[in-house]
Amino acid sequence: MKRGDQRNLHDVAAAQGGVLLTTQAVECGLRPSGAAGALRRAGWSRLYCGTWGQPGLRIDTRLRLRAVQLRHPEWVGSHGSAAALYGIPALPHGRTVRRGRVVRVVGDDVVELTDPRRRGQTRVPGVVVHAIRLAARETTVVAGVRVTTALRTICDLLMALPAHEAVIAADFVLAQGLADREQIREALGPDRHPDGRIDERIDGRVDGRPGRHLDGRCGRRRRNVRSAREALALADPASGSPAESMARLWMHGVGLHPESQAEVTTPNGRLLRLDFLFRAEGLGVEIEGYTWHGSRSAHQNDILRFNELSGCEGIRQVLRFSGDDVFRRPRLMIHTIQEALSRLRESAGSSIVVADVHPNIPSHEGALPCPSSTGSRPPTTRR
């Protein structure tokens, strides 16, 4: 490849966010039969068929979305891909993508987009296109890529993800102020009965007419609203991480409802926050994630903090669990918490008896069920 050709290719790619089409490379002087090989030898990264990433650029969700939109400018980044650009966390095992009745867990190499024309047809490996109507006000530009707004993104996630993943996403959105609970509830629209009857009170009246509901924003018919609202009701903006969100869901699933981010005062007057606190029993629960506790200095601060917590008035015991405990050993975590509560209540002379681990929690470790406010159930697919 000539030096002049390389300069032209880099200029074209830089103007397009670091992405180049094979057809553009040919227009810049490369031979059609040898364009792919020449680009590969020059350090370009193949993203999808006919699209290449500029040498030196990290291949991430933004670059992949830019590559797809270069060939399909009408498509809008959405669902898990839009969530990645907003920083909305996914579970350690990856994101869940649903196409009809097929559900699979994917990594960062798969991007999701929405086709406002509702065609949603593509055979490009690694690209999932949702055929959903989309209003102009529900799109924006993030990092140079056209994606759904944060409000529309969380609504899509609430209606498409399993309950535990949806709650984790909602926790983050509420905590970061990307949208508030009332905005999300309004954007989701009213619940719908199987017979098409709407029973939600809207603007002070009850609309019980059958037929298609127009939500007043872009006139689209919304599905899975009821399950989305249930997940939204379980969201807590006080949650500090996906592991905390998941631990809270596990505890709620077995009937334990501690305070989240509870404030306590150390003997020297310092104000600290516990991830979870059973105040009546004096039991604190801390979820330690490696992201925040992985350095030597952070570890030292954790030790000092743990010692201070132990001396707080009303704190009789503090349990600490890792992210692996939450996601891979949830049964052991719940059992440990329940045993600690039982001991503390007995030592205080209480006659309350703590129930055993919920029977629906899988006996094998490593399972990631879908906790709810009433119990735990296996992962489900929203339809």
Side-chain angles (χ1 to χ4, degrees):
M1 185 184 302
K2 298 180 181 179
R3 182 172 300 178
D5 293 339
Q6 293 186 31
R7 185 169 56 252
N8 292 336
L9 294 179
H10 284 281
D11 290 342
V12 173
Q16 299 175 155
V19 179
L20 179 73
L21 297 179
T22 303
T23 54
Q24 294 173 330
V26 172
E27 292 173 358
C28 289
L30 297 186
R31 292 179 302 164
S33 59
L39 290 171
R40 189 176 292 108
R41 288 190 296 272
W44 292 75
S45 302
R46 185 179 182 275
L47 301 174
Y48 302 103
C49 181
T51 58
W52 300 82
Q54 202 169 7
L57 292 183
R58 184 171 67 92
I59 301 178
D60 55 9
T61 300
R62 185 205 67 82
L63 192 65
R64 292 183 180 278
L65 284 175
R66 193 70 189 89
V68 175
Q69 290 181 340
L70 196 58
R71 303 192 66 176
H72 302 277
E74 70 280 2
W75 291 356
V76 181
S78 63
H79 295 76
S81 295
L85 294 189
Y86 285 114
I88 300 174
L91 291 182
H93 61 71
R95 298 188 183 277
T96 302
V97 172
R98 178 175 62 85
R99 288 297 304 273
R101 297 187 178 184
V102 179
V103 178
R104 60 183 175 134
V105 176
V106 301
D108 294 335
D109 57 334
V110 175
V111 293
E112 295 180 82
L113 301 99
T114 290
D115 184 356
R117 301 172 305 174
R118 304 187 71 178
R119 296 177 182 177
Q121 297 178 353
T122 178
R123 295 184 179 180
V124 180
V127 178
V128 176
V129 182
H130 302 272
I132 306 174
R133 193 172 299 155
L134 194 62
R137 66 172 64 92
E138 295 179 310
T139 65
T140 187
V141 177
V142 176
V145 180
R146 197 158 66 100
V147 297
T148 52
T149 61
L151 178 60
R152 174 58 194 264
T153 299
I154 188 57
C155 289
D156 287 337
L157 295 176
L158 285 170
M159 290 190 293
L161 294 178
H164 58 289
E165 294 187 46
V167 172
I168 289 173
D171 282 355
F172 180 87
V173 169
L174 295 177
Q176 297 298 316
L178 298 177
D180 61 46
R181 197 182 300 269
E182 188 57 36
Q183 287 177 324
I184 299 173
R185 187 180 294 111
E186 180 184 352
L188 286 172
D191 294 343
R192 176 179 294 277
H193 288 293
D195 61 1
R197 178 170 53 86
I198 301 170
D199 63 354
E200 183 77 6
R201 188 171 296 274
I202 307 174
D203 296 330
R205 64 184 178 87
V206 175
D207 187 352
R209 295 174 296 174
R212 176 173 296 184
H213 170 62
L214 305 182
D215 65 7
R217 287 183 174 268
C218 65
R220 62 182 175 274
R221 182 178 182 178
R222 308 306 299 268
R223 301 174 297 175
N224 303 327
V225 174
R226 178 165 298 179
S227 56
R229 283 175 171 266
E230 291 174 354
L232 179 61
L234 294 174
D236 184 357
S239 179
S241 68
E244 287 183 30
S245 299
M246 197 66 195
R248 186 184 75 250
L249 293 177
W250 272 112
M251 287 187 281
H252 286 190
V254 296
L256 302 177
H257 298 276
E259 299 177 33
S260 297
Q261 297 298 314
E263 294 184 351
V264 294
T265 305
T266 64
N268 59 8
R270 182 185 176 191
L271 187 66
L272 296 178
R273 291 181 182 272
L274 271 165
D275 293 338
F276 302 102
L277 175 62
F278 296 88
R279 196 174 292 273
E281 295 81 4
L283 176 65
V285 177
E286 288 277 270
I287 308 299
E288 312 290 3
Y290 181 81
T291 302
W292 303 107
H293 309 275
S295 66
R296 182 181 296 272
S297 60
H299 179 63
Q300 181 62 39
N301 290 334
D302 285 345
I303 294 175
L304 295 175
R305 185 173 182 274
F306 182 78
N307 292 337
E308 288 184 319
L309 285 173
S310 301
C312 291
E313 182 180 357
I315 302 298
R316 303 169 62 193
Q317 184 179 353
V318 178
L319 296 177
R320 302 175 70 185
F321 299 99
S322 67
D324 282 344
D325 292 328
V326 175
F327 292 108
R328 300 180 181 276
R329 295 176 290 273
R331 181 183 177 89
L332 177 60
M333 178 190 68
I334 291 296
H335 188 68
T336 302
I337 294 173
Q338 290 184 320
E339 283 191 332
L341 287 172
S342 180
R343 288 194 303 268
L344 292 172
R345 287 168 176 168
E346 289 176 358
S347 65
S350 173
S351 60
I352 300 176
V353 178
V354 181
D356 194 3
V357 178
H358 196 279
N360 287 336
I361 295 180
S363 58
H364 60 280
E365 302 295 355
L368 190 62
C370 185
S372 68
S373 58
T374 57
S376 301
R377 60 184 187 272
T380 58
T381 301
R382 294 194 176 166
R383 299 175 180 174

